[in-house]
Amino acid sequence: MARYYDGTSAYQLTYDQQPMHTTQSRQSQKAQARARALKRRMRMFVSLIAVFATACTILYGNVIIIQTSSKAERLQEELAAITNANNQKMLDLERSVDLKKVEEIAINELGMMRPEKYQTVYVDVTQTNYAEVSEAPQTDNPGVAGTFGVIRKSIANLLAYFN
């Protein structure tokens, strides 16, 4: 085997005689490539975890909104049922108060009598003017309507502005 490479003064090296630093540089290049691949995988893993955490947070928020909305609806139904029962009891109470029945109890049980013609009865008929609100008007509550209700109302307000 020729000692020189193509007639030059450079020695022709065989595989066993290659300098040690080239083997080490290949090993360090492989190690660097592995480190870069590991970094890429770690970045991808961290990105996936961040996306998963964000999705879980959004889903949790929606679950809370749905639970609150269903609780509010259930409470409104309960309020309506109680209001109906109250109205029914008031109606029953008003029906039970009959003037003939009151007069009968006053005469028979309490010993009261009607005034005679010569007796004067003064009746105070002064009244104050007042009004009663039987049911409070319902207002739009964003917590009850949820996120979509707020978005719908905002779009309706925007369209009303342009019209």
Side-chain angles (χ1 to χ4, degrees), residues 1-162:
M1 189 177 212
R3 203 176 136 153
Y4 297 109
Y5 186 72
D6 287 335
T8 61
S9 61
Y11 289 113
Q12 183 176 6
L13 300 175
T14 61
Y15 185 77
D16 295 334
Q17 295 176 339
Q18 286 185 350
M20 191 60 116
H21 69 281
T22 59
T23 307
Q24 288 175 351
S25 68
R26 284 184 190 156
Q27 288 176 353
S28 66
Q29 287 175 353
K30 287 181 182 179
Q32 287 174 354
R34 276 189 241 124
R36 279 181 272 161
L38 181 64
K39 270 186 176 179
R40 272 188 262 125
R41 286 187 200 126
M42 287 302 291
R43 277 192 217 129
M44 180 66 76
F45 182 70
V46 168
S47 299
L48 287 174
I49 288 177
V51 167
F52 181 73
T54 304
C56 287
T57 303
I58 291 171
L59 286 174
Y60 180 73
N62 287 340
V63 165
I64 295 298
I65 289 171
I66 290 170
Q67 286 177 344
T68 306
S69 295
S70 65
K71 183 178 179 182
E73 288 175 11
R74 189 179 72 245
L75 289 174
Q76 284 180 345
E77 290 171 0
E78 187 178 331
L79 176 65
I82 291 171
T83 303
N84 288 339
N86 191 24
N87 290 340
Q88 184 64 38
K89 289 188 187 246
M90 288 295 287
L91 185 62
D92 292 342
L93 181 65
E94 288 174 4
R95 284 183 188 161
S96 70
V97 179
D98 184 21
L99 290 180
K100 289 182 182 180
K101 192 174 188 180
V102 170
E103 183 179 4
E104 182 182 316
I105 292 172
I107 292 172
N108 295 335
E109 293 181 16
L110 300 175
M112 299 176 100
M113 296 181 353
R114 286 197 165 267
E116 299 292 328
K117 294 195 186 268
Y118 63 88
Q119 294 175 322
T120 305
V121 177
Y122 295 101
V123 178
D124 185 19
V125 290
T126 59
Q127 293 181 349
T128 58
N129 291 334
Y130 66 93
E132 287 186 26
V133 177
S134 62
E135 187 173 319
Q138 293 184 354
T139 59
D140 289 339
N141 188 354
V144 173
T147 307
F148 294 114
V150 171
I151 292 171
R152 181 183 53 79
K153 186 175 179 182
S154 299
I155 291 172
N157 289 340
L158 183 65
L159 291 175
Y161 175 76
F162 286 118

